[in-house]
Amino acid sequence: MEETETGRRFDQLLEKNNLKKTQPRLSVLKVLASRKTATSQPALEEILGAEIDRVTLYRVLRTFEEKGIIHKVIDLNGTANYATCDESCTEHAHDDRHVHFNCTHCLHVYCLDSLHIPALTMPAGFTASQMNLIVYGICEECNEKER
Amino acid sequence: MEETETGRRFDQLLEKNNLKKTQPRLSVLKVLASRKTATSQPALEEILGAEIDRVTLYRVLRTFEEKGIIHKVIDLNGTANYATCDESCTEHAHDDRHVHFNCTHCLHVYCLDSLHIPALTMPAGFTASQMNLIVYGICEECNEKER
DNA sequence: TTAAGTGCAAAATCTTTGCAAATGT
DNA sequence: ACATTTGCAAAGATTTTGCACTTAA
């Protein structure tokens, strides 16, 4: 097993959540951590190829999401995209105040961690517990190419 | 064909979009307009029952969405929920500045037309064209019942 | 009359479930 | 050793496609 910095970080992450360090789980973590945009299940499947069974991938993603290791962003087409969570995410307080950006050109989903969702006043009777703001538009890379 | 106020409104809506006034389309419009929360495809299927074929329902929803007659809100489970758009929605400028509320108890999706999405400054290079803010929590009705 | 729209059957996708074999601790 | 996790096969669910029939204009 590799002894890299990130390798050890993944081990700790799994350990902390009472999950065994298995090859499929480490592969998924590696891919997600290496990408700056959220990744869809189909894309993960393509990247990981034969390395991991499709059913296992579904299960790994579900487990990770339940544990708060990753979070899901729904894109334009209703497809789930996954990204690793920052430290503040746990099983119970999750994914709060996140802003996401979905490029309508390359379809990538970015986590804009620097942007917070502004406070909102709910109509009488409604209690907010969580919110998700997704912005659609053209991302940096696609804007570059256009120039 | 009925001569009600809303009936005539639906006729105009379809006419304006070069769509024929067919029974399935009118049924879908009637259901969506009569509900104060956005409605999922499965729910529509159940409500409309044998009145309309499942495949036709898929096609009607797609057509309506393309024309800007309805818009789609993705809920907690990634399921699409549909609601009629207000007048400002057209095929090209669509669904802007809408706030949606998804009750985690009854799962209903509300369009909070009175709430606007606050302005946001995008990171350099990113161009926003549209945004969608979805708030999760407990809705008015469910809060009432709890008391 | 005729282009648009529907309904059925069937294909293609996507997701979950059951269970025996493999794996991490 | 033993509970967890995987991989395969197969079931279930969801969505799309093809095509002949029907309907609104």
Side-chain angles (χ1 to χ4, degrees), chain A residues 70-116:
Chain A
I70 62 177
H71 66 265
K72 170 159 81 173
V73 196
I74 306 290
D75 70 14
L76 274 178
N77 319 300
T79 308
N81 291 66
Y82 298 91
T84 48
C85 293
D86 57 25
E87 280 83 56
S88 60
C89 283
T90 69
E91 190 157 355
H92 295 297
H94 187 60
D95 192 19
D96 217 359
R97 334 227 93 234
H98 236 101
V99 176
H100 295 109
F101 188 95
N102 190 181
C103 180
T104 54
H105 190 253
C106 65
L107 300 181
H108 283 168
V109 178
Y110 296 79
C111 290
L112 303 182
D113 295 302
S114 61
L115 275 189
H116 280 197

Side-chain angles (χ1 to χ4, degrees), chain A residues 74 78 101 110 112 115 118 120-140 143, chain B residues 74 78 101 110 112 115-116 118 120-140 143:
Chain A
I74 306 290
F101 188 95
Y110 296 79
L112 303 182
L115 275 189
L120 272 185
T121 311
M122 285 297 109
F126 289 75
T127 320
S129 64
Q130 196 175 112
M131 20 183 102
N132 203 327
L133 175 56
I134 180 158
V135 180
Y136 301 104
I138 307 295
C139 74
E140 198 174 13
N143 267 327
Chain B
I74 307 288
F101 188 95
Y110 295 79
L112 303 182
L115 274 190
H116 280 195
L120 272 186
T121 310
M122 285 296 109
F126 288 75
T127 320
S129 64
Q130 197 173 112
M131 21 184 103
N132 205 324
L133 175 55
I134 180 157
V135 180
Y136 301 105
I138 306 295
C139 75
E140 196 174 16
N143 267 327

Side-chain angles (χ1 to χ4, degrees), chain B residues 13-67:
Chain B
L13 197 53
L14 292 176
E15 208 165 321
K16 194 175 70 181
N17 287 285
N18 297 312
L19 297 175
K20 290 184 179 174
K21 293 161 206 151
T22 66
Q23 198 48 69
R25 285 172 179 166
L26 291 170
S27 302
V28 170
L29 280 179
K30 196 169 151 194
V31 173
L32 288 182
S34 73
R35 314 189 96 221
K36 76 168 173 239
T37 62
T39 312
S40 69
Q41 194 275 336
L44 279 168
E45 209 176 305
E46 201 183 340
I47 294 164
L48 292 167
E51 206 173 319
I52 160 177
D53 182 72
R54 176 181 298 158
V55 176
T56 301
L57 177 54
Y58 275 109
R59 291 195 271 227
V60 167
L61 291 173
R62 176 160 50 202
T63 305
F64 282 3
E65 206 197 345
E66 284 167 1
K67 295 292 188 177

